[in-house]
Amino acid sequence: GAVVSQHPSWVICKSGTSVKIECRSLDFQATTMFWYRQFPKQSLMLMATSNEGSKATYEQGVEKDKFLINHASLTLSTLTVTSAHPEDSSFYICSARGAGGSDTQYFGPGTRLTVL
Amino acid sequence: AQSVTQLDSQVPVFEEAPVELRCNYSSSVSVYLFWYVQYPNQGLQLLLKYLSGSTLVKGINGFEAEFNKSQTSFHLRKPSVHISDTAEYFCAVMNDYKLSFGAGTTVTVRA
């Protein structure tokens, strides 16, 4: 149980285009999903927290207009990188927390974004 | 605010030898502590967590960790490692359901 998937697993795009990454909780309802960014050989940095049906909360320094997050259902959250540039190339990982105040986050396998 | 310091960036170890990964945290409130493992190009997998109660926590794959409040530490140990334990290990502290991660420790197990 507690499986989180991400799609796509990797994507290459041209500079200036937008890319959408999906995060799904497959066997549980996720009231809260988190989006992280990980640079090579570095730790995960929390970008934003999304709660189903409400606006995402962004961490300091994260541009909300560039990283659009939508959490339309209890099993799906999407991250759209708008007008991507090479510096947005990174490994994006989502996690999901179940209902009932669960203290455990279940992580997706990550999406490798490369912007040319 | 909370923060996590992983004292070793890289830990080489021989197969079947013990390993200890050090983690110290700082927080102004009570925290939950976690260890995650990340295999190459994959997401994070939970190894174990401390919420309350017994300070010695046992996790998956033979790992265990000990919470030490006075030393604000949560060191991870395994008595005998396998080649398959080669991975990146992250210590994390949770506050208000948000995780803050340490910089990670790369464990390389050699035959």
Side-chain angles (χ1 to χ4, degrees):
Chain A
V3 178
V4 176
S5 69
Q6 280 185 243
H7 179 79
S9 56
W10 58 271
V11 57
I12 301 173
C13 69
K14 293 181 179 180
S15 184
T17 61
S18 295
V19 174
K20 179 183 285 188
I21 301 170
E22 293 184 348
C23 176
R24 293 181 184 272
S25 57
L26 299 184
D27 50 4
F28 68 102
Q29 293 185 328
T31 53
T32 306
M33 287 185 171
F34 304 86
W35 287 95
Y36 296 85
R37 184 173 181 177
Q38 184 181 32
F39 291 103
K41 305 295 185 182
Q42 294 188 29
S43 188
L44 283 74
M45 298 299 296
L46 179 65
M47 298 174 65
T49 303
S50 76
N51 291 295
E52 185 265 338
S54 62
K55 290 184 178 181
T57 302
Y58 291 81
E59 295 299 303
Q60 190 173 7
V62 178
E63 300 176 61
K64 62 180 181 180
D65 293 331
K66 181 165 188 62
F67 298 100
L68 300 179
I69 292 172
N70 184 276
H71 193 161
S73 77
L74 285 172
T75 59
L76 173 65
S77 176
T78 60
L79 167 69
T80 301
V81 183
T82 62
S83 186
H85 292 283
E87 57 266 29
D88 298 323
S89 298
S90 190
F91 195 49
Y92 293 88
I93 303 175
C94 74
S95 71
R97 180 171 73 91
S102 172
D103 51 72
T104 300
Q105 292 183 24
Y106 299 96
F107 285 79
T111 297
R112 174 77 59 192
L113 170 63
T114 302
V115 185
L116 302 176
Chain B
Q2 61 273 357
S3 66
V4 178
T5 302
Q6 291 184 242
L7 299 167
D8 309 292
S9 59
Q10 297 195 36
V11 173
V13 59
F14 286 106
E15 192 174 20
E16 297 183 6
V19 70
E20 178 181 79
L21 308 184
R22 297 180 292 169
C23 172
N24 285 91
Y25 70 93
S26 64
S27 176
S28 57
V29 298
S30 297
V31 296
Y32 296 162
L33 294 159
F34 300 77
W35 274 99
Y36 284 89
V37 60
Q38 184 181 33
Y39 299 102
N41 296 311
Q42 295 186 30
L44 274 66
Q45 180 180 359
L46 178 66
L47 279 177
L48 47 79
K49 60 184 177 182
Y50 172 79
L51 306 180
S52 63
S54 174
T55 57
L56 182 62
V57 181
K58 293 189 182 297
I60 63 171
N61 300 342
F63 285 93
E64 64 180 31
E66 186 159 19
F67 170 63
N68 188 317
K69 187 175 182 178
S70 63
Q71 297 186 6
T72 60
S73 68
F74 190 54
H75 299 335
L76 179 71
R77 302 184 184 94
K78 184 170 182 176
S80 177
V81 296
H82 301 291
I83 298 289
S84 59
D85 291 321
T86 295
E88 189 81 12
Y89 292 80
F90 293 98
C91 181
V93 59
M94 177 180 281
N95 184 257
D96 195 23
Y97 298 114
K98 293 184 179 181
L99 285 170
S100 296
F101 288 88
T105 297
T106 303
V107 173
T108 304
V109 182
R110 298 167 179 160

